[in-house]
Amino acid sequence: MKQIASLSLDLDNQWSYMKTHGDAGWEAFPSYLDKVVPRVLSFLKERDLRITFFIVGQDAALEKNRKAIASIAAAGHEIGNHSFNHEPWLHLYSKQQLVEEFDKTEKAIADVTGGRPVGFRGPGYSLSPTVLEVLGERGYEYDCSTLPTYIAPLARAYYFFKSPQMSDEEREKRKKLFGKLSDGFQSLKPKMITAADRDLVEIPVTTFPVVKTPIHVSYLVYMSTFSRAAALLYWRAALAMCRATGVQPSLLLHPLDFLSGDDAPELRFFPGMDVPIFEKLAFVSDALRMYMDHFEVMTMRQHADDVRNNLTAREPQPQAVL
Ligand SMILES: [Zn+2]
C-alpha cells in the first residue's frame, strides 16, 4: 500500500511578491489570478488531484478576484487561510492585530467560497506562539507554517542582495523571512500540539530528509534550469528518503510554477521565470507524476485527519532531528 502525502498551493498573487520585494505599484493589488487559476485547475483535473489552496484574504476581498477564487472551491479543492495582508513578519503582530487579521480573512473567504478555512499557513513560513494560540481559539484543525531547513539565512541573504532598493526599516521587518537557522532542527514529521487547550496538527513543509534542503516545486524548477536530469534525480532521491525514514511528505506548489516571464513581466527577476511555459509545465508534470507514483496524494486537511487519527496529544512526541 502506498504511504500518504499531501499537496498544497500557496496562491501568492503578483502584488504580494512585489510587496515583499519592495517594488512600487503593489498597492493597486495587481493580480494574475484570472490567468493562473484556470491553468492550475485544468492541470489538476487532468491528473484527478484534489489539493489545498492557501488563499490570501486581501485577494478574496477584491471583486476582480472573486470569479477565480470561487472556481477553486467549486472544483472541490480545499481552501486554507494564508493571512490577509501576506506579511512575512506576521510573527511580530500583537494578538489584537492577529484576531483582526483572521476575522477579515475568514469573512472574505466565506463570502466568496461559502466555507470557513480549518487550516492555516503563515506567509514566508512565519509563526509565533500567539499565532498558534489564535488558531486554537478559532477552532483551526491544522497549521502548516513551518519549514525545517538549515539554509534559510542563505536564502535571505540572496533575497536582500537581489533587493538593493530596500530601506533599513524594511530589511528589519523581513529579517525572519524564510525562517531562522534553528528551524532546521525541527523534525519533518507531523505532530500534535496543544494551542489554547485544543489539539492542533502541525504539518511541516517537507524538506529533504537529513540535509533539510528545500524540495518544493519552485526549487526543483530552479534546479532544472541548470540540469533537468539532475533536478529529477534529486527529487527522486528525496522521495526515496521520505519513504525510508517514514516521512509522509507535504509538497508545496506556487503560482509561479505555472507561469513564465511572459505571463508576469514584473516578476521576471524570480528564479525559473525565464523557462518557457511549455517546458516548465512539462517539468512540473514529471515531478508530480513521480510523487503520485510513490504516494497517495491528498489535501492538507485529509493529511491532518490521518495524523490526528494516528497520534494523540498525550503520547510523547519524538523531537529528535531525523
Ligand atoms: Zn505566500
Side-chain angles (χ1 to χ4, degrees), residues 208-228:
F208 201 118
V210 186
V211 291
K212 308 275 178 81
T213 46
I215 54 173
H216 55 79
V217 173
S218 302
Y219 190 78
L220 301 175
V221 168
Y222 176 61
M223 285 184 84
S224 78
T225 62
F226 301 99
S227 163
R228 193 179 199 277

Side-chain angles (χ1 to χ4, degrees), residues 4-300:
I4 69 162
S6 48
L7 183 59
S8 59
L9 184 143
D10 290 357
L11 198 64
D12 301 332
N13 207 345
Q14 185 175 324
W15 63 265
S16 63
Y17 283 104
M18 293 167 71
K19 180 178 179 179
T20 308
H21 197 242
D23 294 346
W26 69 264
E27 297 93 337
F29 302 114
S31 175
Y32 50 46
L33 298 191
D34 281 341
K35 191 172 285 179
V36 79
V37 168
R39 204 179 279 179
V40 176
L41 290 182
S42 66
F43 184 95
L44 295 172
K45 193 174 177 200
E46 282 163 19
R47 287 153 187 82
D48 202 19
L49 278 168
R50 279 197 190 170
I51 73 165
T52 303
F53 284 74
F54 289 95
I55 304 280
V56 176
Q58 176 66 73
D59 281 319
L62 291 172
E63 183 60 37
K64 63 181 174 187
N65 297 317
R66 280 186 82 91
K67 200 171 141 240
I69 293 175
S71 69
I72 299 170
H77 299 289
E78 186 198 352
I79 304 292
N81 175 347
H82 195 36
S83 84
F84 193 86
N85 292 303
H86 202 277
E87 294 185 332
W89 47 92
L90 191 80
H91 56 283
L92 302 177
Y93 281 29
S94 68
K95 175 137 188 213
Q96 188 51 38
Q97 283 175 304
L98 286 170
V99 167
E100 284 166 21
E101 177 94 3
F102 275 80
D103 274 341
K104 282 200 292 185
T105 310
E106 288 161 11
K107 183 176 179 308
I109 288 177
D111 276 354
V112 180
T113 67
R116 190 180 165 283
V118 298
F120 178 74
R121 177 174 287 134
Y125 315 112
S126 51
L127 190 65
S128 69
T130 322
V131 173
L132 289 174
E133 186 187 321
V134 172
L135 290 173
E137 285 173 0
R138 303 178 84 85
Y140 275 72
E141 293 176 11
Y142 69 89
D143 171 75
C144 45
S145 303
T146 59
L147 178 79
T149 179
Y150 304 113
I151 68 154
L154 276 177
R156 187 168 57 235
Y158 175 79
Y159 199 86
F160 283 153
F161 177 71
K162 293 284 244 182
S163 314
Q165 74 280 27
M166 209 174 272
S167 72
D168 287 348
E169 189 197 346
E170 287 174 311
R171 272 167 207 274
E172 194 54 38
K173 274 187 181 165
R174 287 158 178 76
K175 243 185 175 167
K176 263 183 72 181
L177 201 58
F178 309 120
K180 49 190 188 307
L181 189 62
S182 63
D183 291 347
F185 293 96
Q186 293 164 347
S187 168
L188 295 184
K189 292 187 181 176
K191 57 178 184 250
M192 298 293 296
I193 52 178
T194 304
D197 293 329
R198 289 178 62 105
D199 289 342
L200 194 67
V201 180
E202 177 67 50
I203 304 177
V205 175
T206 313
T207 47
F208 201 118
V210 186
V211 291
K212 308 275 178 81
T213 46
I215 54 173
H216 55 79
V217 173
S218 302
Y219 190 78
L220 301 175
V221 168
Y222 176 61
M223 285 184 84
S224 78
T225 62
F226 301 99
S227 163
R228 193 179 199 277
L232 288 175
L233 197 66
Y234 170 80
W235 176 226
R236 188 183 296 278
L239 294 179
M241 277 296 279
C242 285
R243 286 198 307 278
T245 54
V247 169
Q248 299 169 339
S250 189
L251 179 67
L252 174 55
L253 294 161
H254 288 98
L256 300 193
D257 304 332
F258 298 87
L259 292 169
S260 73
D262 292 339
D263 294 314
E266 297 83 354
L267 302 179
R268 274 187 198 281
F269 65 90
F270 258 82
M273 286 303 274
D274 50 352
V275 179
I277 191 62
F278 288 109
E279 212 176 287
K280 192 182 256 190
L281 291 179
F283 178 81
V284 174
S285 178
D286 283 355
L288 283 187
R289 171 51 52 202
M290 225 185 267
Y291 197 47
M292 293 170 73
D293 281 348
H294 293 294
F295 294 93
E296 187 70 42
V297 180
M298 55 185 67
T299 66
M300 297 302 304

